[in-house]
Amino acid sequence: MNTEGLVEVVLPGKVEPEGLQIRLGAVPTAGPGQVVIRMEATGVSFAEQQMRRGRYYDQPPFPFVPGYDLVGTVLATGEGVDPGLAGTRVAALLKVGGWASHVLVDAADVVPVPAGIGAAEAETLVVNGITAWQMLHRKARVRAGDTVVVHGANGGVGSVLVQLAQAAGARVIGTASERHHDALRERGVAPVDYRAGDVAARIRELAPRGVAAVFDHVGGRGIIDSWRLLAPGGTLVSYGSASTRDDEGSKQWPVLKLLGRVWMWNALPNRRRAYFFNVWAGRALAKNRFRARLRTDLTQVFAALQRGEVSAQIAAQLPLTRAADAMRLAESGTVAGKVVLNP
C-alpha cells in the first residue's frame, strides 16, 4: 500500500522566487514504457533562472513544474519495462518537471548511476556534465597539448569543463571574478578577471598564437572577442546568452542573432568553426541516437567522477519546499557549484 503523496513546485508565471507555489497530489502511475522515479536530488540550473523571467527560448506555457534534471530511485515500472529497474538509482535529463517528489519518465531516458556515487553528487553532473562533455569531446574535440579558454570557469558547467579539459591533457585559461582566482590557480588554471577591462588582450598575452577552443556561455557582444581568440583550426562553442538574462524584449532574438553570426563565421574560409551548443539538438529527428549518445556521455562523466578527474561541487542542499530560497541562492552569484534540492 503506497501512502506517499506527490509534492511538486509550480512556476505559475513570471514571478520572483517567493512566487513559486507548492502543490500536493497523487503519485503518478507508470504507463507503458515508463518508470516512476522517487526523486532524491534535483537542482537549480541557469535554465530555471531564465524560465522564471520568461526568458528561456523554448519553455512551456505557464504554469509548469520546472526542474531540468534529477537523480532518484525507480519506484515502479510500467508495462514493457524491465521490472529489474525497480530499486535502482538513475539520472534523467528532463528540461522541465524535476522539482517534484515523484516524476514520470520514459524508461529509455534514464541512465544508471554507478554504485558509490551519492544522489546529490550525481545531480551536480547531469546537465552540467553532459553539456561539458559533449562540448569538449563532440564539438571542440580537444586534445592533449591544446590550450582552451573557459569563460565562467567557476560556474556550474565551467568548473566541469575545466576539469574534463585538464583530464584530456589541455591547458586551461579561465575567466572568473577575482575572488575565485586562488581556487582556480590551485586547480592549475590560468585565471583572468572578466571585470578588469580588456579580457581578450589578457588572454592573448597568455596565448599569443591563439587557442584551440573557447567555451562561451555569455553571448552578446563578447562572442566576437571569443571568435577572434581562435587559432586556425580552432573551435568556438557558444552555449548560452547569460548576458541577456535580465533583458526585456524578445527571448528568441539573442539566440537568433547568435545563430546568424555563427552561420556567417562558418561560411568564411578560415578553417575555424563556431557552434551554438544545445544539449537537446537532434532529439526530435533521431530520438534513439540522441538517447544512446546521452547514456554514453553521462556514463563517461560518472566514470570521470569515480576516477577523481571531476569533483562534484555541491554549493548547498535544501528541501524541495524551500525552492524559493534555493533559487535566490543560486542567482546570488555568491556560491560555487550546484544548489541541490532534496525531497
Side-chain angles (χ1 to χ4, degrees):
M1 179 73 190
N2 190 355
T3 55
E4 295 182 42
L6 172 71
V7 181
E8 55 189 3
V9 177
V10 179
L11 185 56
K14 285 192 202 181
V15 293
E16 289 304 306
E18 39 284 357
L20 290 166
Q21 298 168 358
I22 307 293
R23 188 165 67 192
L24 306 178
V27 173
T29 308
Q34 294 180 319
V35 293
V36 175
I37 300 174
R38 185 194 279 124
M39 185 271 285
E40 294 174 79
T42 180
V44 184
S45 63
F46 188 68
E48 287 90 38
Q49 300 175 34
Q50 288 179 305
M51 285 178 191
R52 80 164 183 82
R53 295 167 168 83
R55 305 275 317 154
Y56 191 81
Y57 69 103
D58 63 348
Q59 67 190 67
F62 296 117
F64 62 92
V65 176
Y68 213 88
D69 57 12
L70 91 162
V71 173
T73 299
V74 176
L75 184 67
T77 57
E79 188 192 326
V81 178
D82 172 13
L85 262 182
T88 58
R89 178 172 281 164
V90 295
L93 191 66
L94 307 164
K95 196 182 286 187
V96 294
W99 289 6
S101 60
H102 300 78
V103 181
L104 206 52
V105 182
D106 285 347
D109 286 325
V110 306
V111 178
V113 175
I117 298 180
E121 272 186 296
E123 162 57 29
T124 65
L125 292 172
V126 185
V127 65
N128 291 348
I130 284 279
T131 300
W133 182 274
Q134 292 188 344
M135 291 196 301
L136 195 73
H137 293 295
R138 293 192 183 270
K139 294 296 182 200
R141 301 178 180 234
V142 167
R143 300 276 174 268
D146 285 349
T147 297
V148 304
V149 174
V150 175
H151 286 300
N154 61 301
V157 176
S159 57
V160 183
L161 261 172
V162 164
Q163 295 176 84
L164 288 176
Q166 289 176 326
R171 168 189 174 222
V172 181
I173 299 167
T175 69
S177 58
E178 186 96 48
R179 67 167 178 270
H180 297 292
H181 286 196
D182 286 342
L184 288 172
R185 276 191 204 97
E186 276 167 34
R187 285 202 163 155
V189 176
V192 171
D193 184 356
Y194 69 81
R195 295 198 174 107
D198 197 342
V199 173
R202 289 280 307 110
I203 294 172
R204 252 183 229 102
E205 283 169 25
L206 295 167
R209 291 164 52 204
V211 297
V214 180
F215 300 95
D216 186 315
H217 67 306
V218 186
R221 301 285 309 158
I223 199 86
I224 299 165
D225 287 332
S226 290
W227 172 254
R228 288 179 182 151
L229 289 168
L230 295 176
T235 307
L236 164 63
V237 188
S238 167
Y239 65 103
S241 48
S243 64
T244 64
R245 184 187 76 177
D246 297 319
D247 289 6
E248 294 303 318
S250 163
K251 59 178 181 257
Q252 270 85 20
W253 178 237
V255 176
L256 292 173
K257 212 157 53 173
L258 209 49
L259 288 172
R261 205 165 254 159
V262 163
W263 181 86
M264 187 184 74
W265 282 334
N266 284 333
L268 299 170
N270 60 16
R271 293 185 34 228
R272 295 179 291 183
R273 306 292 301 159
Y275 294 102
F276 185 73
F277 179 81
N278 169 14
V279 74
W280 298 100
R283 188 172 201 270
L285 299 169
K287 203 177 240 187
N288 290 341
R289 203 175 104 216
F290 173 87
R291 284 165 161 164
R293 207 166 53 196
L294 190 85
R295 177 173 280 120
T296 301
D297 295 350
L298 189 51
T299 301
Q300 294 267 26
V301 171
F302 288 149
L305 176 65
Q306 288 181 300
R307 286 193 298 269
E309 292 170 359
V310 177
S311 57
Q313 277 196 290
I314 302 165
Q317 294 193 64
L318 288 94
L320 189 60
T321 48
R322 286 186 58 199
D325 295 333
M327 187 167 257
R328 218 174 293 108
L329 185 62
E331 292 189 15
S332 69
T334 59
V335 293
K338 183 114 187 201
V339 177
V340 175
L341 291 166
N342 307 117

